[in-house]
Amino acid sequence: MAGWISFLDTVIRRTVAIVMVYLLTYTAASLLIPHKRVLLFNAWFPFDWTVSPTYELICLQQFIGALVFLFTIFPFPGLYATLVCIACSQLEKLRANLLDIRQELDTPAQDSGAETDTEEEETQVQTSQEMFCRMQEQLSDCVRLHNEILRYMEEMENTLNPFMTGMFLLSLASLCLSSFSIVTSWGNVPMMIQGVVAYSTVIIPLFLYCWFGNELTLQAEKVREAAWGCDWVGTPISFQKCIRLIIAAANKEFTLTAGKFVPVAIRTMVNMVNQSISYFMFLLQLKDNIELDEPANSV
């Protein structure tokens, strides 16, 4: 998971640059077409916006608003994903340390016949005690690391969940508004493309939120399997109790939330997309019904 950090940094920067170039190109093309005035985004105004300088000012206002939205919706997922990758990489390190705990006897080389059976048994007992002490130290380090990771995850949840609430509400509203823009611009290909681009622009950071949040939950659950998979059979009771503590802590499902009531997971993204699609189909059906009623009303 640590390898995702540099990759995400590159992807976020290039995505922001591509969207900025697209906005600049579309705005310049709209301003350079004298016979047809097209807005950057579909909008309604209670005045004639096609005259100068009103048209230019509205285009500038929409361009600035698009940049504000762009720098709000994209950089924050990069920071969020980086924090999650740090937690996931530490969980991976913890699992590797747990699986590295093994009952390996370091028997010293002995001269044949140099020691009696009693001395050999005492040596084996002493070696076993040293081995269990080493295993207990390794397990204690794992327990401390696990507690630190859990504290980090809790602090991240407490800090991010208010921002995640705003981001999820903003994303849901943007998906619905993009669907509304596509329906109201039905037949106008350039404006429909704008709606599709806006919809896709919202889906990408929403996917980053939910996929990394889901991955953090899965990584936290895998600690339980790693603790069970370490070589604990035949160890002292104190060692087994420590293993049970790690398993009990890992059994408590950890999920990043938005406002403490919506989980940041793949299922949440699927629900939001389904709601926006249902809203789009409702608007499309409403539009068809209005078009069918217009001839009767005119008659």
Side-chain angles (χ1 to χ4, degrees), residues 94-280:
L94 173 62
R95 296 205 314 272
N97 292 340
L98 286 171
L99 294 174
D100 191 49
I101 300 176
R102 288 289 179 267
Q103 299 183 33
E104 297 177 354
L105 291 173
D106 298 330
T107 304
Q110 300 175 358
D111 297 333
S112 59
E115 296 180 352
T116 63
D117 293 339
T118 305
E119 291 176 347
E120 290 179 358
E121 292 177 359
E122 292 177 355
T123 303
Q124 291 178 358
V125 170
Q126 184 178 2
T127 305
S128 299
Q129 291 177 351
E130 292 176 355
M131 178 191 65
F132 289 137
C133 289
R134 174 182 55 80
M135 293 177 63
Q136 187 66 48
E137 290 178 0
Q138 290 179 314
L139 184 59
S140 299
D141 293 337
C142 292
V143 171
R144 283 192 290 268
L145 178 60
H146 192 210
N147 291 333
E148 292 175 0
I149 295 173
L150 292 178
R151 282 198 298 268
Y152 172 80
M153 293 164 59
E154 288 293 337
E155 290 296 332
M156 185 169 58
E157 157 67 11
N158 295 332
T159 304
L160 293 181
N161 84 83
F163 297 97
M164 297 302 297
T165 304
M167 287 296 176
F168 270 57
L169 292 176
L170 179 62
S171 298
L172 183 60
S174 300
L175 291 176
C176 293
L177 289 174
S178 299
S179 302
F180 179 79
S181 178
I182 295 172
V183 173
T184 54
S185 305
W186 202 261
N188 188 349
V189 177
M191 298 307 297
M192 289 179 65
I193 293 176
Q194 287 290 331
V196 173
V197 171
Y199 193 93
S200 304
T201 304
V202 178
I203 284 292
I204 294 174
L206 183 61
F207 173 77
L208 290 177
Y209 290 134
C210 296
W211 188 84
F212 280 98
N214 198 74
E215 189 66 22
L216 180 60
T217 301
L218 294 177
Q219 294 285 351
E221 291 177 353
K222 290 179 181 179
V223 174
R224 176 183 60 225
E225 301 173 2
W228 179 260
C230 75
D231 194 6
W232 58 269
V233 178
T235 56
I237 299 299
S238 59
F239 184 89
Q240 297 180 16
K241 287 183 178 180
C242 292
I243 290 291
R244 191 175 67 175
L245 288 175
I246 294 181
I247 294 176
N251 277 332
K252 299 177 182 178
E253 181 181 359
F254 178 84
T255 305
L256 291 174
T257 62
K260 298 291 186 179
F261 58 89
V262 177
V264 183
I266 295 295
R267 63 181 182 272
T268 303
M269 185 193 73
V270 173
N271 291 334
M272 292 177 65
V273 173
N274 288 337
Q275 290 176 7
S276 64
I277 293 176
S278 300
Y279 180 69
F280 173 77

Side-chain angles (χ1 to χ4, degrees), residues 1-2 5 79-92 149 152 156 216:
M1 293 299 295
I5 297 177
L79 173 63
Y80 161 83
T82 300
L83 296 176
V84 173
C85 285
I86 292 173
C88 290
S89 63
Q90 293 300 312
L91 289 171
E92 290 175 342
I149 295 173
Y152 172 80
M156 185 169 58
L216 180 60

